[in-house]
């Protein structure tokens, strides 16, 4: 992450974190709520996220946003590498 920040912005910042709370039981595991999120996301956006990585990340991001973890107007960048 720091390398990507330096390449994009010329410096690294500490205003980011890795969230481990949305693994749904571990690698390549899923639960019905993740499948429901994937279906809803695909309907809304026309994109079906991969359930092993992408959907888990997006689910967690949307959950944090809904919980008020970010101030209104916050710019969020989600990186999947």
């Amino acid at each position: 992450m720091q390398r990507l920040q330096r390449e994009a912005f010329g410096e690294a910042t500490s205003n980011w974190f890795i969230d481990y709370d949305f693994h749904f039981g571990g690698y390549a595991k899923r639960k019905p709520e993740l499948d429901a999120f994937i279906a809803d996301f695909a309907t809304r956006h026309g994109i079906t996220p991969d359930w092993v990585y992408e959907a888990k990340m997006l689910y967690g991001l949307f959950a944090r946003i809904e919980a008020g973890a970010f101030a209104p107007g916050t710019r969020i960048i989600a990186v999947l590498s």
Side-chain angles (χ1 to χ4, degrees):
M1 192 67 201
Q2 291 176 341
R3 180 184 58 81
L4 291 172
Q5 286 184 321
R6 280 193 295 275
E7 289 174 7
F9 309 114
E11 65 180 336
T13 65
S14 61
N15 64 345
W16 59 276
F17 64 95
I18 298 174
D19 192 337
Y20 295 99
D21 291 341
F22 299 95
H23 55 74
F24 290 90
Y27 175 75
K29 297 195 178 187
R30 60 205 241 194
K31 295 183 179 181
E33 57 265 31
L34 181 63
D35 291 335
F37 173 82
I38 293 168
D40 181 64
F41 192 91
T43 299
R44 290 174 188 251
H45 304 288
I47 300 167
T48 303
D50 164 67
W51 61 271
V52 175
Y53 296 110
E54 298 167 347
K56 290 179 180 183
M57 178 191 67
L58 291 168
Y59 183 101
L61 181 58
F62 279 64
R64 295 293 191 224
I65 291 167
E66 289 176 15
F70 304 97
T74 298
R75 181 177 294 174
I76 300 169
I77 301 172
V79 178
L80 183 66
S81 62

